[in-house]
Amino acid sequence: MHVWRDRLHRWLGPLARRSPLSPNHITLLALALNVVAAALLYTRHFLAALFFIAVGGLADAFDGIVARVKAQESRYGDFLDHFCDRVSDTAVAAGWLLGSAVRAELTAIAIIGVALNGYIGTQIEATWHERNYNAIGRGEFVLALIVYPILSYILFANGWNSMQFATLTIAEWLAVLMFVFAVLGIMQRLRLAKKLA
């Protein structure tokens, strides 16, 4: 997903130069959009949530573009961006997991995996001042949370949400997949940390 960062910078750069909002205000706007998305996912308004997830994801990318083109980068802004990303990721994942009736233990495991993957990426940057987008990270997570609600909508609309395969529903298998990809991202980042050390 890191290839999209340069493209978004090229496409949104002219708009960023004219933005009336500061990067920190855009960061908070992205958080608000993701909290709305989480609430919609929890209440099973899966398709409505997609709009807020997509716009929230663009706003999250846009804050950094505005900061760079307007030379408004700051340590506080970087901190706020990372904090809001972690809150957004946790809220949106929890909204989808709970709204899709994933059992509590799988919900907890998936949220822990997502949170740890995000945390370790932030910690690498804090420790080595290295920002690396080559691991499975937030971009892939946001992409999954655009695809997953569509699948949940299909499952609930057709009454397939309670179908089980090897004692897990389809949504629960998706939660397991979310956790597996989070663990893969953690492993990639642990390898990067060892290399940087």
Side-chain angles (χ1 to χ4, degrees), residues 18-176:
R18 296 189 303 273
S19 174
L21 297 175
S22 73
N24 292 348
H25 287 118
I26 297 167
T27 298
L28 294 172
L29 176 63
L31 173 62
L33 290 165
N34 282 308
V35 169
V36 171
L40 288 168
L41 290 169
Y42 178 72
T43 57
R44 297 187 179 152
H45 293 90
F46 297 114
L47 297 183
L50 292 177
F51 170 79
F52 290 93
I53 293 169
V55 176
L58 280 174
D60 182 53
F62 191 60
D63 61 0
I65 297 169
V66 170
R68 284 186 289 281
V69 301
K70 290 187 163 189
Q72 294 179 343
E73 295 172 287
S74 70
R75 287 184 180 185
Y76 177 73
D78 191 46
F79 166 80
L80 183 66
D81 183 55
H82 284 300
F83 170 73
C84 289
D85 284 352
R86 301 296 76 78
V87 174
S88 293
D89 293 352
T90 304
V92 172
W96 177 77
L97 290 157
L98 295 170
S100 297
V102 172
R103 65 186 82 176
E105 57 272 22
L106 288 176
T107 295
I109 289 168
I111 289 173
I112 290 168
V114 167
L116 285 175
N117 188 25
Y119 169 78
I120 196 169
T122 302
Q123 192 58 40
I124 286 173
E125 186 176 342
T127 304
W128 286 285
H129 306 290
E130 173 82 19
R131 189 170 275 197
N132 187 291
Y133 298 108
N134 293 325
I136 296 170
R138 190 154 198 271
E140 290 78 10
F141 172 75
V142 171
L143 180 61
L145 283 174
I146 288 175
V147 173
Y148 279 23
I150 294 170
L151 296 174
S152 288
Y153 171 78
I154 293 168
L155 293 173
F156 278 88
N158 291 292
W160 300 336
N161 55 296
S162 59
M163 288 174 44
Q164 291 190 351
F165 302 94
T167 73
L168 298 179
T169 65
I170 296 170
E172 289 172 341
W173 280 112
L174 292 173
V176 169

